Amino acid sequence: MKTCIMTEEGFACTNQMVRTALEGKAPYLYRSALNYYAALQASKMSFVELFDDIAKYIDDKMRRFKFVVRLKRGLRDTGEPGGLYKD
């Protein structure tokens, strides 16, 4: 089972790289790197702190809000550090 998960994640990363390259929007694995960075920061920051922190990477406030909501989903108090790091 473990091998299947590793393979599936590899396909997901490859698919993301191809899609990003075709859209010409951002460098390869930009979104994956941002997910990793934001998850790390979410473990130390509140919703508002994280929202402000990733402003340097996501200019659009609505996209940034949705991004942070996705990380902080499932928490009772989003003012506390932590998040859902599934992505």
Side-chain angles (χ1 to χ4, degrees):
M1 185 70 149
K2 197 173 190 179
T3 306
C4 295
I5 291 172
M6 289 172 52
T7 302
E8 184 177 329
E9 287 300 316
F11 285 142
C13 286
T14 301
N15 184 45
Q16 180 180 353
M17 287 185 352
V18 169
R19 187 178 52 195
T20 301
L22 292 174
E23 293 173 355
K25 290 184 178 179
Y28 296 132
L29 295 177
Y30 179 83
R31 179 74 178 203
S32 296
L34 185 57
N35 282 337
Y36 179 82
Y37 172 79
L40 176 65
Q41 294 301 86
S43 70
K44 302 183 251 178
M45 297 179 170
S46 70
F47 185 98
V48 173
E49 291 170 331
L50 182 60
F51 181 83
D52 292 339
D53 184 61
I54 63 169
K56 55 192 166 210
Y57 303 113
I58 303 175
D59 295 333
D60 183 77
K61 287 184 179 184
M62 185 53 74
R63 280 187 53 228
R64 190 172 358 136
F65 178 80
K66 288 178 181 180
F67 189 83
V68 176
V69 164
R70 187 168 175 91
L71 275 168
K72 290 288 191 173
R73 69 187 185 268
L75 294 179
R76 283 187 185 264
D77 182 3
T78 58
E80 295 293 319
L84 182 64
Y85 314 120
K86 181 179 175 185
D87 298 332

